[in-house]
Amino acid sequence: MTTFTEGDLQVEFRNIEDARKFDDVITDEKLSHCMKSVDFIVELPNQYLFIEFKDPQHPESSGKQQQQFIREFQNRSLNEDLKYKYRDSFLYEWASGRADKPVYYLVLIALDSIAAPDLNANLDDLKRKLPLQVPKSKSWTRPIVAGCGVFNLGSWNQRFPDYPVTRLSAGGQP
């Protein structure tokens, strides 16, 4: 089992081949001035998971910061940042020779007020931006991203029981 903390959230990765806190890699390589990065990269036997956590409900966040986040989420400007985090991470991994399996992009929005309909609408927009579909010309030999998902804390823990996320300030409760 591998455990990482990202702000007020803690994730445990069970039954995996490898997991890395990828933000640290980009910073250590001195590439943060030109590349964005996902928070974690998890390797499974037949795929990679690129995982991004957004936690506007962090105890140190102000109500104003939460409202700003909600606006960015609702008007889809947050997806511009998420798009570049994925693309730059993919490019880094591809250039390192590790993007040799399908890659799935998972985004956790740890905010209680974000419900399933909002998550689904955001997901549809993110899929268009990545792009999820291979060009119609069929000139690509494989997709850039095999799939993606946007989750709140409850749906994340339900969908990924081997990667539970807990909020530290809530005494480790999901």
Side-chain angles (χ1 to χ4, degrees), residues 17-30:
E17 290 191 5
D18 189 35
R20 297 178 282 141
K21 190 165 185 178
F22 195 61
D23 276 341
D24 295 345
V25 171
I26 294 296
T27 302
D28 292 347
E29 295 283 339
K30 306 219 182 321

Side-chain angles (χ1 to χ4, degrees), residues 4-149:
F4 292 112
T5 300
E6 181 71 18
D8 192 42
L9 302 173
Q10 187 171 65
V11 60
E12 294 178 6
F13 294 112
R14 305 173 189 150
N15 304 316
I16 61 167
E17 290 191 5
D18 189 35
R20 297 178 282 141
K21 190 165 185 178
F22 195 61
D23 276 341
D24 295 345
V25 171
I26 294 296
T27 302
D28 292 347
E29 295 283 339
K30 306 219 182 321
L31 292 171
S32 59
H33 70 282
C34 63
M35 297 184 89
K36 292 181 173 277
S37 60
V38 297
D39 293 319
F40 310 105
I41 295 180
V42 176
E43 183 177 1
L44 301 171
N46 59 352
Q47 64 189 0
Y48 290 101
L49 304 177
F50 285 18
I51 301 172
E52 178 64 22
F53 283 4
K54 292 294 183 187
D55 187 16
Q57 199 167 305
H58 188 288
E60 294 178 9
S61 295
S62 69
K64 188 174 183 177
Q65 289 170 314
Q66 279 188 20
Q67 292 306 313
Q68 176 65 28
F69 181 88
I70 290 169
R71 276 191 300 279
E72 291 174 4
F73 181 83
Q74 290 174 336
N75 71 22
R76 310 293 185 261
S77 63
L78 174 65
N79 284 343
E80 283 300 307
D81 185 53
L82 294 174
K83 170 182 73 176
Y84 290 115
K85 284 177 173 277
Y86 179 83
R87 285 187 186 174
D88 288 355
S89 298
F90 179 84
L91 180 61
Y92 184 95
E93 290 297 285
W94 174 81
S96 299
R98 286 187 294 267
D100 55 351
K101 303 175 194 178
V103 181
Y104 292 82
Y105 188 26
L106 308 175
V107 179
L108 170 65
I109 308 292
L111 183 61
D112 293 342
S113 63
I114 301 291
D118 298 320
L119 294 168
N120 290 335
N122 201 278
L123 173 61
D124 290 342
D125 182 64
L126 184 58
K127 284 179 179 180
R128 283 189 296 276
K129 290 183 184 320
L130 287 177
L132 196 61
Q133 301 298 318
V134 173
K136 291 179 183 178
S137 67
K138 305 220 188 290
S139 58
W140 291 2
T141 59
R142 64 186 181 135
I144 291 175
V145 59
C148 64

